[in-house]
Amino acid sequence: MKRKILGMSAVALLVLMSMTALAATGRYDQQIQQAVSMKVHDAKQLQNVQSSVEDGIVTLTGTVDLYQRKLDAAKLARKTASVQGVRNLITVAGPNVPDAQLEQKLATKLRYVRVGYDNTFDYFALGVKDGVVTVEGQDRTGVGRDEALADIANMPGVKDVVANISIEPTSIFDDGIRLRTARAIYRDTVLSKYAIDPQRSIRIIVANGHVTLYGSVDSAMDKQIAGIRANQVFGAFSVENKLVVEKSS
């Protein structure tokens, strides 16, 4: 009997704690609503955004002209005191750009991400469907990834973004392979032309000693030579040659 009473007491305590937690969660809804509404109102680019709050969860609706504005609105809401989460239902109502045209614009833009720094060691692949951009790839530091995603978010016509960009493992060993591979490829008299224009650079991705080559080249011979040079690099465990020969060639 005593055990039964203790069990009932424990259940009652859990129910009371749950009710208290729910009350505490929804306790600040009005203050959150006022704070979020004020922040949105002060942002000129978010005048068509509305918000509602329930149990500390902010729901954003309305329209913006750029995908970046949608991200900005969510960021403002998350930084508000006592917010437990954000449900972002804002619609990007900017211009409708044909998928092929949008993909071409973005591809050109991303080729120049981190030019003059480490863009040779980043690679991004794009796909666009009904204004939704899917971007995949690998980045050495994360800086290139952030710049690429910022470029995509600020491009008119982008309605949503699905990002799947991995960061290569930090490794002095891999860094050595990167440099040796770049030298082997770009010091070759046939391949040196790809170092002139960053838009045509051969991308060198290294992860745990494994080398993958991305990008486009003028001929099957150039692709073959690049693979040969990469395979001659000391320390590389394997080389996967994913260079694409330009159709015009």
Side-chain angles (χ1 to χ4, degrees):
M1 184 67 177
K2 184 176 180 181
R3 188 174 297 174
K4 184 177 181 181
I5 293 173
L6 288 173
M8 292 176 64
S9 298
V11 172
L13 180 61
L14 287 172
V15 172
L16 180 60
M17 290 174 65
S18 299
M19 292 177 65
T20 302
L22 287 172
T25 301
R27 180 178 176 184
Y28 302 103
D29 283 356
Q30 186 175 356
Q31 293 95 315
I32 294 172
Q33 176 69 61
Q34 292 174 348
V36 173
S37 296
M38 187 176 297
K39 286 183 177 182
V40 171
H41 181 269
D42 289 343
K44 294 181 180 179
Q45 306 294 340
L46 304 177
Q47 296 300 305
N48 294 325
V49 173
Q50 298 82 42
S51 63
S52 61
V53 185
E54 183 176 356
D55 294 334
I57 305 296
V58 178
T59 299
L60 299 173
T61 55
T63 61
V64 291
D65 60 340
L66 288 175
Y67 180 72
Q68 183 60 54
R69 311 295 185 209
K70 179 175 180 176
L71 300 180
D72 292 342
K75 187 176 181 179
L76 284 176
R78 288 192 188 95
K79 287 187 174 181
T80 304
S82 303
V83 168
Q84 302 299 310
V86 176
R87 187 181 296 112
N88 195 344
L89 302 180
I90 295 172
T91 299
V92 180
N96 292 318
V97 180
D99 288 344
Q101 181 181 338
L102 181 58
E103 183 173 336
Q104 183 58 47
K105 286 184 176 180
L106 288 171
T108 301
K109 189 86 172 175
L110 296 193
R111 287 191 187 104
Y112 290 95
V113 169
R114 302 292 291 165
V115 167
Y117 295 92
D118 55 1
N119 68 305
T120 299
F121 307 120
D122 298 336
Y123 174 72
F124 306 111
L126 288 165
V128 181
K129 177 67 175 176
D130 298 328
V132 178
V133 179
T134 300
V135 54
E136 300 179 346
Q138 292 171 289
D139 180 32
R140 192 175 70 87
T141 63
V143 178
R145 173 197 59 188
D146 294 344
E147 288 189 12
L149 292 177
D151 284 342
I152 294 171
N154 283 287
M155 179 69 72
V158 173
K159 306 299 182 182
D160 202 354
V161 179
V162 178
N164 185 23
I165 301 173
S166 61
I167 304 300
E168 297 162 37
T170 302
S171 168
I172 296 176
F173 175 70
D174 283 353
D175 283 340
I177 295 175
R178 287 186 186 96
L179 291 175
R180 291 193 293 274
T181 304
R183 288 168 183 162
I185 288 175
Y186 290 121
R187 287 179 179 176
D188 185 282
T189 54
V190 174
L191 304 177
S192 59
K193 59 186 176 183
Y194 296 107
I196 299 174
D197 184 357
Q199 186 174 353
R200 296 292 312 282
S201 64
I202 294 174
R203 304 301 174 113
I204 302 165
I205 303 301
V206 182
N208 298 319
H210 299 281
V211 179
T212 306
L213 303 180
Y214 291 100
S216 61
V217 290
D218 293 333
S219 66
M221 184 184 74
D222 287 359
K223 175 178 179 177
Q224 183 179 9
I225 293 173
I228 291 172
R229 293 291 175 259
N231 273 290
Q232 292 172 341
V233 172
F234 172 77
F237 297 149
S238 68
V239 175
E240 188 171 3
N241 192 343
K242 291 189 176 183
L243 290 171
V244 176
V245 179
E246 289 285 359
K247 292 180 181 179
S248 59
S249 301

